[in-house]
Amino acid sequence: MGAGHSHGHGHTHGHGGTVTAAHRGRLLVALGITLLVLATEVVGSALTDSLALLADAGHMATDAAGIAMALLAVHIAGRPANERRTFGYARAEILAAVLNAVLLFGVGAFIFAEGISRLITPQHFDGGATIVFGLVGMVANTVSLLVLMRGQQESLNVRGAFLEVMADALGSLAVVVAAVLFLTTGWRQADAVASLLIGLLIVPRTWRLLREAVDVLLEAAPKDVDMAAVRHHIEGLKGVEGLHDLHAWTITSGMPVLSAHVVVSQEVLEEVGYERMLHDLQGCLGAHFDVEHCTFQLEPVGHAEHEARLCH
């Protein structure tokens, strides 16, 4: 039956909710806490004239927007696949992570600009009240960190939220330290320095988040999948004569995909059959690599050259 006999596919995947969807409740709790701290710090900044508090409030506003986008993306990603979008809308979560990073860069730029301005022209602020509002932010952000701790290892969106809240907690600490320095030494620039430190906390983590999200969009191999090791394991199976068109990429957080054309000797194919060969391939990857969805095309020796001639 020609080429039809030389093809087989194996799938090790059960489509369900995305990894981020499993942590929807944690994101909702973090969003509520973030909005509460945001409102508190805006009021605190107005009462104390502290730029550090305002900078932290601006970061909080971006965090709230980022978490809200993550939750919206979870909702969109839950829509079923169709003829046009065969993997569904799972990539919506990655797009949300990119937008989140862009917003964070904007906040960082604003904080740097205001911080430098106040470093040059220091302003008076109420140190005692600033300490109180900063401590409120530290406590609330610590609670959010504990809520998000588990999910940040599994989802880019949850990790983005976790990193933002971590920066917020450190930012609140910087606010408190700046206020203490002002009260004990009278150094007005402490507020501006704390603001610049908050900006420095934002940028590296944001860059890391953006880079990981862009890697997914560019369909780079998952960072925890060693392609050379995958190739070695497949080629080590009995009857495998060669391997080509090996690809691995990520649809969204926690959903890696792999496909490959596996050249198998005709004798082994006749001996064990296509189904057993596919089971062996799936078992090989399942035992050594965490790949959610695998597709294999089995080919007899010489089929790749036949395909190449047809293409030309």
Side-chain angles (χ1 to χ4, degrees):
M1 296 175 66
H5 261 143
S6 62
H7 294 73
H9 298 275
H11 303 275
T12 60
H13 176 66
H15 290 289
T18 62
V19 170
T20 307
H23 301 286
R24 189 198 310 260
R26 297 173 187 274
L27 287 170
L28 283 169
V29 171
L31 177 60
I33 293 173
T34 301
L35 289 173
L36 179 62
V37 177
L38 166 62
T40 302
E41 290 191 340
V42 167
V43 173
S45 177
L47 293 175
T48 64
D49 197 31
S50 168
L51 175 62
L53 268 179
L54 182 61
D56 209 33
H59 189 200
M60 282 284 186
T62 313
D63 291 352
I67 296 172
M69 282 192 298
L71 287 166
L72 177 62
V74 167
H75 173 71
I76 294 173
R79 297 172 63 182
N82 54 43
E83 292 293 331
R84 180 172 174 79
R85 293 179 174 84
T86 56
F87 277 107
Y89 294 81
R91 279 280 169 90
E93 295 182 359
I94 304 304
L95 293 175
V98 172
L99 289 174
N100 197 357
V102 171
L103 280 173
L104 278 169
F105 276 127
V107 170
F110 169 77
I111 292 172
F112 277 125
E114 288 297 310
I116 291 172
S117 174
R118 287 212 179 189
L119 199 60
I120 296 171
T121 310
Q123 304 289 321
H124 178 83
F125 65 99
D126 187 339
T130 299
I131 290 175
V132 173
F133 286 110
L135 288 173
V136 169
M138 282 181 60
V139 172
N141 286 318
T142 300
V143 174
S144 291
L145 282 175
L146 293 174
V147 169
L148 296 172
M149 179 75 73
R150 180 180 173 185
Q152 63 100 14
Q153 295 293 337
E154 302 173 357
S155 163
L156 264 185
N157 263 332
V158 178
R159 188 181 312 161
F162 179 84
L163 291 174
E164 289 163 348
V165 173
M166 180 185 291
D168 282 337
L170 294 173
S172 296
L173 176 62
V175 168
V176 172
V177 171
V180 170
L181 282 173
F182 173 66
L183 289 175
T184 55
T185 68
W187 186 38
R188 291 187 179 185
Q189 285 93 339
D191 185 54
V193 171
S195 303
L196 293 172
L197 286 174
I198 293 171
L200 288 174
L201 290 171
I202 294 172
V203 173
R205 291 172 174 81
T206 302
W207 173 250
R208 192 176 305 117
L209 175 66
L210 180 61
R211 185 179 60 193
E212 290 183 15
V214 169
D215 276 347
V216 173
L217 293 177
L218 293 177
E219 299 191 339
K223 63 180 181 180
D224 54 348
V225 176
D226 185 336
M227 296 300 288
V230 169
R231 179 179 294 275
H232 174 75
H233 276 279
I234 293 177
E235 291 180 338
L237 287 177
K238 177 184 177 182
V240 174
E241 299 288 336
L243 182 68
H244 63 98
D245 292 311
L246 173 63
H247 302 286
W249 66 101
T250 306
I251 301 301
T252 189
S253 299
M255 195 183 292
V257 179
L258 182 142
S259 68
H261 291 216
V262 184
V263 180
V264 185
S265 69
Q266 190 64 46
E267 293 78 13
V268 171
L269 281 177
E270 292 174 353
E271 177 186 345
V272 303
Y274 287 87
E275 184 176 0
R276 172 63 185 278
M277 195 68 209
L278 288 172
H279 287 328
D280 288 348
L281 286 165
Q282 292 168 9
C284 173
L285 288 185
H288 298 94
F289 307 98
D290 183 20
V291 180
E292 181 74 9
H293 181 111
C294 302
T295 301
F296 299 105
Q297 175 170 301
L298 302 185
E299 300 176 354
V301 176
H303 183 72
E305 290 78 3
H306 172 68
E307 284 187 340
R309 287 195 299 270
L310 288 178
C311 290
H312 292 293

